[in-house]
Amino acid sequence: MSQPADPSAPGRPLRHPVHEDVDEAMVRRVVLAFYARVRADPTLGPIFDAEIQDGWDHHLAKMCDFWSSVMLMTGRYKGKPMVAHLRLKDVRPDHFEQWLTLFRETARAECPRHIAQMFIDRAERIAESLQLGMFFRTHAGQAGAFRPPRSEAS
Amino acid sequence: MTYVVTDLCIKCKYMDCVEVCPVDCFYEGANMLVIHPDECIDCGVCEPECPAKAILPDADLQAEPWLDLNKRFAEVWPNITLKGQPPADADAYRDESGKFEKYFSAEPGGEPGDPGPKAEAGAIVQGR
């Protein structure tokens, strides 16, 4: 469903979701299903549990806001995910790859194919940016040439 | 990877991007915004929101000449997290070319009376 125009801001362009078939219910379904897989994952589960501890309700609400902002342009999430990830000294590139594997599986299970790919494209770009910041940026701010593999657009 | 604000933003500065950016990575000059390349997470939300079509992914050849400008001024201009009032004459400059040479200001934006850190404009970007 499309976002209605904001009547308090005359003249501003309409904000469109990445696709008219995406809505808040779908975003929430993807987020909840994805983190259920993460928590059940033998590698990622303990990493997330150690960091989030008993704050899962808060984290899930935050992630719903984040993906709502990314897929529906709602601007509901405001945060510093790069800073949050830079603190995670035990996280390695293969953890990101496993995260992406679970995310792709979830998106394809929960969404129509064309929408799943939109989630996946954005997740891959965001994961790449976080990894560049965490693993490949020097103090001078120069990123290395690392490019993690991307999934086929199928 | 990052998105980049090009000179199409200059004197338009609509700031719709600021409202949708989930990570508050925009920085405000007197008449344009820039993106901090180390803070942008490449989500792409801002690109279609820009009425001036000033925002491009850094892989775009049109964006490449402006990456250094974004990086440099994101370090000295103030962070902007709320959309302000666009210039009254923003639409008049929307499709103008060569705006960097004609109008670029290295002065920081934000509240009058709060000049913030100063920066030199020289040797930033020479054309596109």
Side-chain angles (χ1 to χ4, degrees), chain B residues 28 30 72-73 75-78 104-109 111-122:
Chain B
E28 184 184 13
R72 175 162 179 184
F73 285 96
E75 297 286 351
V76 291
W77 286 347
F104 176 75
S105 168
E107 292 299 311
E111 293 297 311
D114 176 24
K118 298 289 184 191
E120 295 294 323

Short mmCIF file of all heavy atoms in Angstrom, two decimals, chain B residues 28 30 72-73 75-78 104-109 111-122:
data_model
loop_
_atom_site.label_atom_id
_atom_site.label_comp_id
_atom_site.label_asym_id
_atom_site.label_seq_id
_atom_site.Cartn_x
_atom_site.Cartn_y
_atom_site.Cartn_z
N GLU B 28 25.45 19.94 6.86
CA GLU B 28 24.83 21.11 6.24
C GLU B 28 25.80 22.26 6.02
O GLU B 28 26.37 22.80 6.96
CB GLU B 28 23.67 21.61 7.13
CG GLU B 28 22.91 22.76 6.51
CD GLU B 28 21.83 23.29 7.43
OE1 GLU B 28 21.82 22.94 8.63
OE2 GLU B 28 21.01 24.10 6.94
N ALA B 30 26.20 26.17 3.88
CA ALA B 30 25.32 27.33 3.73
C ALA B 30 24.29 27.12 2.63
O ALA B 30 23.15 27.52 2.77
CB ALA B 30 26.16 28.57 3.46
N ARG B 72 35.18 15.77 2.70
CA ARG B 72 35.86 16.87 3.37
C ARG B 72 34.90 17.73 4.19
O ARG B 72 35.18 18.07 5.34
CB ARG B 72 36.56 17.74 2.32
CG ARG B 72 37.18 18.97 2.94
CD ARG B 72 38.21 19.57 2.04
NE ARG B 72 38.74 20.76 2.67
CZ ARG B 72 39.60 21.57 2.12
NH1 ARG B 72 40.06 21.30 0.92
NH2 ARG B 72 40.03 22.63 2.76
N PHE B 73 33.77 18.08 3.60
CA PHE B 73 32.89 19.00 4.32
C PHE B 73 32.01 18.30 5.35
O PHE B 73 31.53 18.94 6.28
CB PHE B 73 32.10 19.85 3.33
CG PHE B 73 32.97 20.91 2.71
CD1 PHE B 73 33.58 20.72 1.48
CD2 PHE B 73 33.26 22.06 3.41
CE1 PHE B 73 34.43 21.66 0.95
CE2 PHE B 73 34.11 23.03 2.89
CZ PHE B 73 34.69 22.83 1.65
N GLU B 75 33.24 16.55 7.46
CA GLU B 75 34.07 16.62 8.67
C GLU B 75 33.99 17.98 9.35
O GLU B 75 34.37 18.11 10.51
CB GLU B 75 35.55 16.34 8.31
CG GLU B 75 35.81 14.95 7.77
CD GLU B 75 35.76 13.88 8.85
OE1 GLU B 75 35.68 14.24 10.03
OE2 GLU B 75 35.78 12.69 8.49
N VAL B 76 33.56 19.02 8.62
CA VAL B 76 33.60 20.36 9.21
C VAL B 76 32.23 21.03 9.32
O VAL B 76 32.05 21.92 10.15
CB VAL B 76 34.56 21.29 8.43
CG1 VAL B 76 36.00 20.85 8.63
CG2 VAL B 76 34.24 21.34 6.95
N TRP B 77 31.29 20.64 8.49
CA TRP B 77 29.95 21.24 8.60
C TRP B 77 29.17 20.53 9.71
O TRP B 77 29.43 19.37 10.03
CB TRP B 77 29.20 21.10 7.26
CG TRP B 77 29.69 22.03 6.20
CD1 TRP B 77 30.51 23.12 6.35
CD2 TRP B 77 29.37 21.96 4.80
NE1 TRP B 77 30.72 23.72 5.13
CE2 TRP B 77 30.03 23.03 4.17
CE3 TRP B 77 28.60 21.09 4.02
CZ2 TRP B 77 29.94 23.26 2.80
CZ3 TRP B 77 28.50 21.32 2.66
CH2 TRP B 77 29.17 22.40 2.05
N PRO B 78 28.14 21.20 10.24
CA PRO B 78 27.34 20.57 11.30
C PRO B 78 26.41 19.48 10.75
O PRO B 78 25.93 19.58 9.63
CB PRO B 78 26.53 21.74 11.87
CG PRO B 78 26.44 22.74 10.77
CD PRO B 78 27.73 22.60 9.99
N PHE B 104 29.07 27.72 -5.05
CA PHE B 104 29.45 26.92 -3.89
C PHE B 104 29.95 27.79 -2.74
O PHE B 104 30.74 28.70 -2.94
CB PHE B 104 30.52 25.89 -4.24
CG PHE B 104 30.99 25.11 -3.03
CD1 PHE B 104 30.18 24.12 -2.48
CD2 PHE B 104 32.20 25.41 -2.42
CE1 PHE B 104 30.58 23.43 -1.35
CE2 PHE B 104 32.60 24.71 -1.29
CZ PHE B 104 31.80 23.72 -0.76
N SER B 105 29.49 27.50 -1.54
CA SER B 105 29.98 28.19 -0.35
C SER B 105 30.52 27.16 0.63
O SER B 105 29.85 26.16 0.91
CB SER B 105 28.85 28.96 0.33
OG SER B 105 29.25 29.39 1.62
N ALA B 106 31.71 27.41 1.13
CA ALA B 106 32.29 26.52 2.13
C ALA B 106 31.80 26.84 3.53
O ALA B 106 32.12 26.13 4.49
CB ALA B 106 33.81 26.62 2.10
N GLU B 107 31.00 27.89 3.65
CA GLU B 107 30.48 28.26 4.98
C GLU B 107 29.55 27.17 5.50
O GLU B 107 28.76 26.60 4.74
CB GLU B 107 29.72 29.57 4.90
CG GLU B 107 30.59 30.78 4.60
CD GLU B 107 31.63 30.98 5.68
OE1 GLU B 107 31.26 30.98 6.86
OE2 GLU B 107 32.83 31.12 5.34
N PRO B 108 29.62 26.90 6.79
CA PRO B 108 28.69 25.93 7.35
C PRO B 108 27.27 26.45 7.38
O PRO B 108 27.04 27.66 7.42
CB PRO B 108 29.23 25.71 8.77
CG PRO B 108 29.99 26.95 9.08
CD PRO B 108 30.52 27.46 7.78
N GLY B 109 26.33 25.54 7.35
CA GLY B 109 24.93 25.93 7.48
C GLY B 109 24.50 25.89 8.93
O GLY B 109 25.33 25.90 9.83
N GLU B 111 22.06 27.21 12.27
CA GLU B 111 21.49 28.41 12.86
C GLU B 111 22.40 29.61 12.70
O GLU B 111 23.60 29.52 12.93
CB GLU B 111 21.25 28.19 14.36
CG GLU B 111 20.18 27.17 14.66
CD GLU B 111 18.82 27.59 14.13
OE1 GLU B 111 18.42 28.73 14.39
OE2 GLU B 111 18.17 26.77 13.44
N PRO B 112 21.84 30.78 12.34
CA PRO B 112 22.64 32.00 12.33
C PRO B 112 23.15 32.27 13.74
O PRO B 112 22.46 32.01 14.72
CB PRO B 112 21.63 33.09 11.92
CG PRO B 112 20.47 32.36 11.33
CD PRO B 112 20.44 31.00 11.95
N GLY B 113 24.37 32.78 13.82
CA GLY B 113 24.95 33.05 15.12
C GLY B 113 25.70 31.86 15.68
O GLY B 113 26.34 31.94 16.70
N ASP B 114 25.59 30.74 15.00
CA ASP B 114 26.35 29.55 15.40
C ASP B 114 27.20 29.13 14.21
O ASP B 114 26.85 28.22 13.47
CB ASP B 114 25.39 28.43 15.80
CG ASP B 114 26.13 27.13 16.12
OD1 ASP B 114 27.32 27.22 16.48
OD2 ASP B 114 25.51 26.06 16.01
N PRO B 115 28.31 29.86 13.99
CA PRO B 115 29.05 29.67 12.75
C PRO B 115 29.69 28.29 12.60
O PRO B 115 29.87 27.83 11.49
CB PRO B 115 30.14 30.75 12.82
CG PRO B 115 30.27 31.08 14.27
CD PRO B 115 28.91 30.86 14.87
N GLY B 116 29.95 27.62 13.72
CA GLY B 116 30.54 26.29 13.61
C GLY B 116 31.94 26.36 13.04
O GLY B 116 32.50 27.44 12.85
N PRO B 117 32.53 25.21 12.73
CA PRO B 117 33.89 25.21 12.21
C PRO B 117 33.96 25.78 10.80
O PRO B 117 33.06 25.59 10.00
CB PRO B 117 34.27 23.72 12.22
CG PRO B 117 32.97 23.00 12.24
CD PRO B 117 31.97 23.89 12.90
N LYS B 118 34.99 26.50 10.53
CA LYS B 118 35.17 27.10 9.21
C LYS B 118 35.97 26.16 8.31
O LYS B 118 36.74 25.34 8.76
CB LYS B 118 35.94 28.42 9.33
CG LYS B 118 35.22 29.46 10.15
CD LYS B 118 34.01 29.99 9.42
CE LYS B 118 33.35 31.11 10.21
NZ LYS B 118 32.05 31.48 9.69
N ALA B 119 35.79 26.31 7.02
CA ALA B 119 36.54 25.48 6.08
C ALA B 119 36.90 26.29 4.85
O ALA B 119 36.24 27.26 4.52
CB ALA B 119 35.70 24.28 5.68
N GLU B 120 37.95 25.90 4.23
CA GLU B 120 38.39 26.56 3.00
C GLU B 120 37.78 25.85 1.80
O GLU B 120 37.70 24.63 1.76
CB GLU B 120 39.92 26.49 2.90
CG GLU B 120 40.63 27.28 3.98
CD GLU B 120 40.39 28.78 3.84
OE1 GLU B 120 40.34 29.26 2.70
OE2 GLU B 120 40.24 29.45 4.88
N ALA B 121 37.39 26.62 0.82
CA ALA B 121 36.76 26.03 -0.37
C ALA B 121 37.78 25.55 -1.38
O ALA B 121 37.47 24.73 -2.23
CB ALA B 121 35.83 27.03 -1.02
N GLY B 122 38.99 26.06 -1.32
CA GLY B 122 39.96 25.84 -2.38
C GLY B 122 40.31 24.38 -2.60
O GLY B 122 40.28 23.57 -1.69
#
